[in-house]
Amino acid sequence: MNDNLFHATESVQLEALVSRQQNYYRSGATRSVAFRKEQLHKLRNAVHSFEPELLNALKQDLNKSPLEAYSTEIGIVLKEIRVALRHVRRWSKARRIRTPLSHIGASSRIVPEPLGTSLIIGPWNYPVNLMLVPVVAAIAAGNTLVMKPSEMAPATSRALAGLIGRTFPPEYIAVVEGGAETSAELLKQPFDHFFFTGSPTVGKVVMKAAAEKLIPVTLELGGKSPCIVHKDANLELAAKRIVYGKLTNVGQTCVAPDYLLVHKDVKQELVAGIAKVVEAFYGTEPIQHPAYGKIVNERHFRRLIGYLEDGRIAYGGQFDVEARQIAPTLLEGVSLESKVMKEEIFGPILPVLEYEETEEAIAIVEANPKPLALYVFSGSSGFRNEIVGRIPFGGGCINDTIIHLGTPYLPFGGIGSSGIGSYHGEHGFRAFSHYKGMLKQSNRIDFPFRYPTSKWGMTIIRKLLR
Ligand code: NAD
């Protein structure tokens, strides 16, 4: 048993920690597949035994119900561990690939190797999922790692520190708790990889620190994810799935539908449908419902209340300052220049915009930076293909919202300002690996045509390289 909790933001202590991890990594201890699998088993057992602490912490930090906490956090981590255990041997194998005729006699392999010592920094909104899913990938890929959970979900940060501290020695995996200053100190250390989940603003800070030392980065950021509902959509299902995606964690989800773009012929019907679903899920007073979440802090609560001025409230609009809760709210008549249409909302407020021509919908999405997710509800493959094919975004769903995040087989990540790189399942293994391209030459033959002494060199090379 080890108690490896670090609270120190002192550079020297962090330096010593990173150096210990690098020595442990260089010892080769983390390399074998057997070791990686053993650690994944340990992590799985620890998640099981810490489940009550994690559920309590998520309730305390974000008022998450056990169903939501298990389905969007703990269960996703367990599923990732299961998939990694099943496939890590195959993922880690060197792969033989073709060698061109110009290299006759040689053979080629792609050899995955761990990046080394990684730093994982996480946000507060899915504080278990977004810390432990990258950890699964880092373990599977054979790295050592330092984790920095968000100070804004303090109970979960504590629970994670306990879970990791009692399961792994600090030279292999360590949790450093703290806020922005601690992150800043960590970012000065000579890590081999930064894996950051959070806002585009802090993403830039991480990338700047990485640029100083040319450290590779994976950035999982956010943005405004549109949800487009065409006139031929199944509106009843669309309403249900939009409410599910928007109100999970009361909209504090990086891939939550940020705003609706609805064909004008079906807008009123969809708005009425959404109101009906909200009432079926949470009653006429959602704020009173025990499974309805709260806003993480006062600053975000105030920011969200401010958005209510940016349009006409078509539904909802109530809030409770004491409880930091805002009812599910539909806003109509918002200007594209308003704050609510320029900033990532990250709360239970949903602007509803309408379009008539497909071009208008595309232009509205493209007025903002490339989104992390996009959702399109339509019965027509022509319309869906046009939206998916023409608009750049990280990933998304057709006829659903947010659930693409829950599969370990799809890459999850953004594009441009919504992120760099992706993870989940094998994509996570790749994010924490370097792929060495290795050519093995034969000593039995040595064709002379590449050497300056060859009489026919140019003729042969021209035939081989064209
Ligand atoms: P944040 O960027 O404020 O904080 C994330 C982490 O960075 C925290 O651990 C925090 O301590 C640290 N940090 C804060 N300021 C820092 C600084 N100046 N220097 C170094 N580190 C610093 O993000 P947040 O508020 O925790 O999360 C919300 C944002 O994260 C939203 O934009 C959301 O879209 C995004 N997000 C993205 C994903 C994804 O998977 N792509 C998932 C969840 C959240």
Side-chain angles (χ1 to χ4, degrees):
M1 291 293 148
N2 243 292
D3 198 3
N4 81 15
L5 321 183
F6 284 82
H7 303 278
T9 54
E10 288 288 320
S11 249
V12 264
Q13 279 162 292
L14 296 179
E15 232 175 273
L17 172 66
V18 175
S19 159
R20 266 177 88 185
Q21 288 215 349
Q22 281 172 333
N23 289 337
Y24 187 66
Y25 173 72
R26 287 187 196 122
S27 77
T30 65
R31 290 297 185 110
S32 73
V33 172
F35 175 88
R36 302 180 197 189
K37 287 179 90 164
E38 192 189 329
Q39 307 314 311
L40 289 169
H41 278 293
K42 277 192 193 165
L43 181 63
R44 176 153 73 187
N45 293 339
V47 172
H48 281 306
S49 58
F50 271 76
E51 190 179 315
E53 280 91 334
L54 294 173
L55 288 175
N56 273 338
L58 290 166
K59 180 79 191 163
Q60 218 173 304
D61 287 334
L62 294 151
N63 200 30
K64 287 197 186 190
S65 70
L67 170 67
E68 188 174 323
Y70 191 90
S71 62
T72 63
E73 304 237 34
I74 297 169
I76 305 261
V77 174
L78 292 171
K79 179 74 185 162
E80 283 281 335
I81 297 176
R82 183 175 295 278
V83 169
L85 277 168
R86 191 175 310 143
H87 298 293
V88 63
R89 185 165 301 281
R90 178 171 59 79
W91 296 343
S92 327
K93 268 207 177 111
R95 200 158 48 88
R96 212 183 148 120
I97 44 123
R98 287 175 70 119
T99 304
L101 199 56
S102 51
H103 294 57
I104 193 163
S107 62
S108 312
R109 292 186 317 148
I110 297 176
V111 187
E113 74 164 28
L115 287 176
T117 300
S118 291
L119 170 64
I120 300 175
I121 299 178
W124 52 265
N125 62 339
Y126 290 85
V128 173
N129 176 334
L130 299 172
M131 284 312 292
L132 292 184
V133 171
V135 168
V136 174
I139 293 176
N143 294 257
T144 59
L145 54 132
V146 173
M147 300 158 60
K148 210 297 283 170
S150 172
E151 73 285 11
M152 278 162 69
T156 313
S157 172
R158 283 270 72 211
L160 285 173
L163 183 157
I164 294 295
R166 278 162 192 75
T167 313
F168 302 106
E171 62 272 25
Y172 177 41
I173 307 180
V175 172
V176 176
E177 292 196 80
E181 337 67 55
T182 308
S183 266
E185 281 304 325
L186 281 164
L187 289 170
K188 290 182 195 154
Q189 305 305 321
F191 283 100
D192 299 300
H193 180 212
F194 292 151
F195 186 104
F196 171 79
T197 307
S199 60
T201 310
V202 181
K204 287 179 196 165
V205 174
V206 174
M207 200 154 169
K208 260 191 201 140
E212 283 295 316
K213 297 197 171 81
L214 294 176
I215 293 171
V217 288
T218 308
L219 300 179
E220 299 286 334
L221 310 176
K224 291 186 81 60
S225 299
C227 177
I228 302 174
V229 183
H230 202 43
K231 58 184 172 187
D232 56 6
N234 176 331
L235 292 182
E236 206 176 310
L237 271 181
K240 211 176 186 181
R241 293 170 179 172
I242 290 166
V243 171
Y244 170 77
K246 184 67 178 179
L247 295 187
T248 297
N249 201 18
V250 279
Q252 302 172 112
T253 303
C254 55
V255 290
D258 188 274
Y259 59 98
L260 281 186
L261 272 167
V262 194
H263 192 279
K264 84 175 212 330
D265 292 357
V266 294
K267 184 177 144 199
Q268 282 323 318
E269 200 181 334
L270 184 71
V271 166
I274 288 178
K276 207 166 126 192
V277 175
V278 169
E279 282 165 26
F281 284 5
Y282 299 101
T284 46
E285 289 190 65
I287 289 181
Q288 307 299 331
H289 195 281
Y292 192 71
K294 65 176 180 184
I295 304 306
V296 68
N297 61 24
E298 177 78 17
R299 181 170 64 85
H300 281 293
F301 181 79
R302 293 277 159 215
R303 179 182 61 79
L304 287 163
I305 296 301
Y307 293 148
L308 299 178
E309 307 293 315
D310 286 353
R312 201 171 52 251
I313 294 173
Y315 179 75
Q318 306 81 358
F319 54 86
D320 178 335
V321 182
E322 283 288 293
R324 282 205 315 270
Q325 287 185 305
I326 302 169
T329 300
L330 297 176
L331 272 190
E332 285 185 336
V334 294
S335 139
L336 292 178
E337 299 313 314
S338 60
K339 273 192 164 177
V340 78
M341 281 310 292
K342 286 286 168 205
E343 299 172 356
E344 181 181 4
I345 298 174
F346 228 59
I349 299 169
L350 189 61
V352 185
L353 286 83
E354 59 179 49
Y355 69 91
E356 199 163 359
E357 300 299 328
T358 311
E359 288 309 317
E360 285 173 60
I362 294 176
I364 291 174
V365 177
E366 293 191 333
N368 280 313
K370 294 168 190 159
L372 178 59
L374 180 144
Y375 308 109
V376 51
F377 287 83
S378 167
S380 130
S381 59
F383 180 80
R384 297 188 309 239
N385 291 343
E386 184 161 15
I387 296 295
V388 174
R390 283 185 52 194
I391 303 177
F393 57 92
C397 303
I398 288 167
N399 294 332
D400 214 327
T401 67
I402 79 171
I403 58 167
H404 62 300
L405 193 136
T407 148
Y409 306 108
L410 284 174
F412 176 65
I415 171 171
S417 71
S418 58
I420 296 176
S422 62
Y423 72 127
H424 286 187
E426 184 170 7
H427 309 283
F429 178 92
R430 287 175 171 272
F432 284 91
S433 299
H434 166 66
Y435 286 78
K436 269 183 178 154
M438 290 306 305
L439 182 138
K440 181 167 164 277
Q441 184 57 284
S442 162
N443 282 342
R444 277 186 291 171
I445 38 173
D446 186 36
F447 290 105
F449 61 81
R450 65 174 151 146
Y451 299 124
T453 45
S454 167
K455 191 171 162 200
W456 300 104
M458 191 60 164
T459 317
I460 295 171
I461 281 172
R462 272 191 189 282
K463 286 220 175 323
L464 290 172
L465 298 181
R466 63 199 156 103

